Amino acid sequence: MIIEPRIRGFICTTAHPVGCAKYIQDQIDYVRNRGLMKNGPQKVLVIGASTGYGLASRVVTAFGCQAATIGVFLEKEAENNRTASAGWYNSVAFEQKAQKTGLYAKSLNIDAFSDEAKAAVIGFIKKDLGKVDLVVYSVAAPRRQHPKTGQVAKAVLKPIGASYTSMSLDVTTSTLETVTLPAAAQEEIDQTISVMGGEDWEYWMDALEREKLLEEGVVTVAYSYIGPEITKSIYRNGTIGRAKDHLEATAHELDKRMKKIRGRALVSVNKALVTQSSSAIPVIPLYFVLLNKVMKEKGVYEDCIAQVYRLFSTRLYAGGPIPVDEKGLIRMDDWEVRKDVQSQVRANWEKLNDKNLAQFADMEGYHKEFLKLFGFGFEGVDYAADVDYEQRLISAA
Ligand code: NAD
């Protein structure tokens, strides 16, 4: 099949297996060029391991620490002339490259929120790894079926208290638009917390602790975001922000428990980046394109792999106490929230109109990064070639 990008709003409905393999190889090369980390984790579980921050965490621990990894994700396999999803091809390529290097890599395409997922992972840890010394929780999902009640909760991205009107970016036409988002109802807030809050992370840690599968000194980390004043109404003070508050409170509780085995449970606040999930948040893509332009000009731009490598090498496994802020959060958004960066973004935001968008916004970078998420736009990949799109995970055999 010859595969071309088919973009529908903020999603691309096709993915390119050879391009996704190149995406993985580039991440592996980034990590290898920096050398092996001392004292890194050896037996790692990544939940939400196929794209974005979770995928980068899997690559960094495998190729930067030589860790065995179990990856959990929810992706689509190819069927009826439809390509698989990008996360599927990423995971196929990851496993092939890990196996070539002699690294254990097991992948499970399963709903992380279910009890079945926990039972399956527990089975593999017992059989193959004994215990785990790192658990990364990086799920970003639109819905969750609660394992105890069976109820389905849906995450919404809405402001709280009052509706919110803002300038936004129409990514398909690269023009500005004005959007008004209605205020969330309490039920929507609760459902968003159920999907994106800390409960499922806690259930995973409960299950692993119950089965005595946590190594002495275990680390568990989940990812959060705070962001600037200009996105506050929709992000941190909105429904997703409430879920992140819950996630951070969960870390606090888990940390007390983990300390009994000399372990830690932490939240890392990462920088805003173009991923499949973040592209779907209203207003945020406009902030991205302004932010990225400023961060690139100042030489402090990072992508997922660079963020996660820095998280592991300078925070989690740097050898001393893990540096955190006054709320106990790891701040990998430190360069994003730098005063000079934010004041420049703010000034550009205030001057923005359709005519000067190209001057202030990194539109080209955004489109390139977006296409790369689906395996498109990589140099050296022959996109006119007929490719095998029905690829299998080695570990599923
Ligand atoms: P992403 O969309 O790239 O990745 C989400 C992952 O979750 C994928 O591996 C997907 O398969 C998996 N997933 C979704 N539903 C699942 C389910 N039911 N069962 C199993 N796996 C499932 O998202 P991302 O942007 O990397 O987000 C990961 C985390 O990082 C989120 O908590 C997000 O809030 C946080 N974060 C993101 C940003 C950003 O700008 N992208 C910034 C800071 C923090």
Side-chain angles (χ1 to χ4, degrees), residues 271-288:
K271 89 175 268 270
L273 271 174
V274 180
T275 65
Q276 292 192 39
S277 304
S278 62
S279 307
I281 308 176
V283 185
I284 295 285
L286 181 58
Y287 169 67
F288 281 151

Side-chain angles (χ1 to χ4, degrees), residues 11-75:
I11 194 80
C12 179
T13 59
T14 52
H16 200 284
V18 182
C20 288
K22 178 77 171 75
Y23 179 58
I24 298 294
Q25 190 59 49
D26 286 355
Q27 297 201 29
I28 293 172
D29 292 345
Y30 177 93
V31 171
R32 283 209 171 124
N33 287 338
R34 274 150 192 84
L36 280 180
M37 260 177 247
K38 284 189 205 122
N39 318 314
Q42 295 300 295
K43 291 174 280 184
V44 177
L45 168 62
V46 183
I47 307 154
S50 53
T51 56
Y53 277 116
L55 172 65
S57 307
R58 196 176 191 193
V59 172
V60 166
T61 51
F63 292 91
C65 312
Q66 294 188 309
T69 59
I70 296 181
V72 176
F73 47 78
L74 197 60
E75 298 294 343

Side-chain angles (χ1 to χ4, degrees), residues 93-124:
F94 174 89
E95 282 198 344
Q96 287 170 353
K97 290 171 198 292
Q99 202 186 52
K100 247 192 200 157
T101 322
L103 290 167
Y104 173 93
K106 174 81 199 168
S107 304
L108 288 95
N109 189 31
I110 191 167
D111 180 5
F113 299 132
S114 66
D115 288 341
E116 292 73 32
K118 281 131 187 134
V121 167
I122 283 169
F124 283 110

Side-chain angles (χ1 to χ4, degrees), residues 7 21 76 128 242 260 262 313 327 346:
I7 297 167
K76 284 199 186 90
D128 298 334
R242 287 289 170 86
K260 290 184 202 140
R262 290 191 313 106
S313 59
K327 290 187 176 157
R346 178 99 219 184

